[in-house]
Amino acid sequence: MKPAAFRYHRAHDVTDAVGLLGELAAAGDDPKLIAGGQSLMPMMNFRLARPTALVDLGPLRREPALNSLRHNGSSLTIGAMVTHRTVETAELGPDFSVLSRAMRWVGHLPIRSRGTVAGSIVHGDATAEWCLLALLLDAVIVAEGPGGPREIPAEEMFHGFYTTAVEPDEVVTAVTFTRPAPKAALTEFARRHGDFAIVDAAVSLDAERGGRVVLGGVAPAPVRVPEAEAVLAGGIPGPALFAECGEAAAAAIDPPDDAAGSAAYRRRLVRTLVTQALHEAWEKGETR
């Protein structure tokens, strides 16, 4: 299929992009931003999204701040135009290496080479790896609009099916991950490698701040599972604890029934994936 008709604009910088969004909306258009286009274009081709105008952020790749990865003390900032592939091949250090390792689950190489970190988070797919990682590592999303920049904590970012806290006239400029996680992992299950995940799980183990469990594919948005995190608190890491945590995560959720799988099937996947991810997180941390 082909997308519905739309007008095309190129933004020269962030200020220009914000201005174009405002001007187009005021003129009665329904504009959308496009960076890598790996999420938006398929939806347009299937007529699931019908913007009347596109604002291309491609020229913004020339701005160093938007195309860089920067460590700042215990945090890591990723510019909005950084691609999945750049993260996959970067040396991020032990505290954020889970980001690089998780990229193997993102589509195929051409998708990872074009798609952007910020674009994936703003798209808000409940199974998108970056959405889970944002919750896992306490990301802060920086969005710039007519009133200037503002910060959106990841816990306030995801509102439901493909719905986020970013306003239609805002442009995300950076994502800062503020929670170092030397013992962390993400894993998922899909019918074929590169397909959308049916369920995915991201976990971290931290003796001081407690463990964290984030799931995708079990609700309209990615979710943390406090019941599973409570199991990890004060427990002794090992197979018994990890299996108990997987059971707790499966019992705590109310997943949907749909064409991809039943609720019972998703619970079984959660049990398995959380347990596997915890084993991987522990092993990665121990080998450093």
Side-chain angles (χ1 to χ4, degrees):
M1 295 184 66
K2 296 182 179 180
F6 60 89
R7 284 182 289 279
Y8 174 81
H9 305 265
R10 284 171 69 86
H12 301 295
D13 53 33
V14 173
T15 301
D16 187 33
V18 172
L20 281 169
L21 289 175
E23 292 171 11
L24 291 166
D29 276 311
D30 176 25
K32 297 293 183 185
L33 296 171
I34 183 168
Q38 301 305 295
S39 298
L40 179 59
M41 289 309 300
M43 295 185 73
M44 290 176 63
N45 286 338
F46 283 102
R47 304 293 178 98
L48 298 174
R50 298 191 180 196
T52 58
L54 291 183
V55 177
D56 189 356
L57 301 179
L60 276 62
R61 294 182 189 275
R62 295 192 294 264
E63 297 192 20
L66 299 181
N67 200 32
S68 64
L69 301 94
R70 306 181 300 278
H71 286 276
N72 182 17
S74 61
S75 66
L76 172 70
T77 297
I78 299 179
M81 300 302 292
V82 170
T83 65
H84 313 305
R85 180 61 176 168
T86 297
V87 175
E88 184 178 17
T89 57
E91 177 51 62
L92 301 180
D95 287 346
F96 295 101
S97 65
V98 64
L99 300 178
S100 297
R101 288 185 277 111
M103 292 303 96
R104 72 183 188 273
W105 297 107
V106 179
H108 302 285
L109 182 58
I111 291 173
R112 296 198 295 274
S113 298
R114 290 287 301 172
T116 62
V117 175
S120 179
I121 291 175
V122 174
H123 187 58
D125 185 334
T127 63
E129 294 80 8
W130 279 112
C131 295
L132 272 68
L133 292 166
L135 285 175
L136 184 74
L137 303 181
D138 284 343
V140 176
I141 295 88
V142 181
E144 186 163 333
R150 70 182 180 106
E151 296 184 344
I152 308 169
E155 62 186 13
E156 301 173 9
M157 181 66 174
F158 307 107
H159 293 175
F161 289 110
Y162 302 104
T163 306
T164 70
V166 177
E167 297 293 341
D169 59 355
E170 290 182 320
V171 178
V172 169
T173 58
V175 181
T176 296
F177 297 87
T178 67
R179 181 185 174 96
K183 298 179 180 180
L186 182 148
T187 190
E188 63 185 51
F189 178 79
R191 298 293 185 193
R192 298 173 302 176
H193 177 69
D195 282 1
F196 290 108
I198 297 174
V199 171
D200 43 5
V203 304
S204 65
L205 292 165
D206 190 317
E208 295 182 2
R209 292 181 293 184
R212 187 162 287 190
V213 177
V214 183
L215 299 177
V218 301
V223 294
R224 284 181 58 187
V225 189
E227 296 86 350
E229 294 174 357
V231 171
L232 294 176
I236 299 175
L241 181 68
F242 300 158
E244 183 183 356
C245 184
E247 292 286 352
I253 60 173
D254 184 20
D257 282 297
D258 59 27
S262 66
Y265 179 56
R266 280 187 161 87
R267 289 192 187 94
R268 290 197 296 272
L269 285 177
V270 164
R271 185 182 302 114
T272 299
L273 292 174
V274 168
T275 304
Q276 286 180 348
L278 287 167
H279 276 286
E280 181 182 339
W282 181 248
E283 292 168 0
K284 291 295 182 183
E286 290 298 287
T287 57
R288 292 190 180 100

